Amino acid sequence: MNRKNHPPNWVLSFFRWFCHPDYLEDLEGDLYERFEKRLREGGVQHARQAFVMDVLRLFRPGLMRPFSNTSPLNFHAMYVTHYKIAWRALLKNRS
């Protein structure tokens, strides 16, 4: 198989970026199998276009990786700030 007979690299990169790691290996294998089947049946262009559509159809919340970048330290700092503000407001308005 030459370079042209492979799925587009940018689509694979996008898929690996958003797909949950628990599902990545299985889904990627299924995508490759479908690509090879379409390659035999309809040609390179058809297989590549269908591969792009398959990946776009898989872009849904149930298959996405968690994109949480917050750490417990950030939550701690946020709560400390809220308590300081609340305490200052209570001291200012004692009634």
Side-chain angles (χ1 to χ4, degrees):
M1 226 188 238
N2 63 14
R3 180 171 157 75
K4 188 157 177 120
N5 292 345
H6 288 285
N9 286 332
W10 65 271
V11 178
L12 278 173
S13 297
F14 175 68
F15 175 71
R16 291 175 183 150
W17 172 75
F18 80 80
C19 187
H20 197 285
D22 294 343
Y23 310 129
L24 181 63
E25 186 177 343
D26 294 332
L27 290 176
E28 189 172 344
D30 293 343
L31 286 170
Y32 269 110
E33 287 176 11
R34 291 181 68 149
F35 178 79
E36 289 172 6
K37 180 182 175 192
R38 289 180 178 140
L39 190 61
R40 288 190 304 270
E41 292 174 354
V44 176
Q45 190 66 24
H46 170 71
R48 290 171 71 90
Q49 289 174 350
F51 188 85
V52 171
M53 291 306 299
D54 286 342
V55 169
L56 290 177
R57 284 187 196 111
L58 288 173
F59 187 65
R60 55 183 184 253
L63 295 176
M64 293 180 77
R65 73 172 52 239
F67 288 108
S68 176
N69 289 337
T70 58
S71 68
L73 295 175
N74 290 343
F75 285 125
H76 176 69
M78 180 183 68
Y79 289 131
V80 168
T81 304
H82 283 276
Y83 286 126
K84 281 183 187 178
I85 293 171
W87 180 252
R88 289 175 185 160
L90 287 172
L91 290 176
K92 184 177 179 182
N93 303 315
R94 292 182 182 207
S95 59

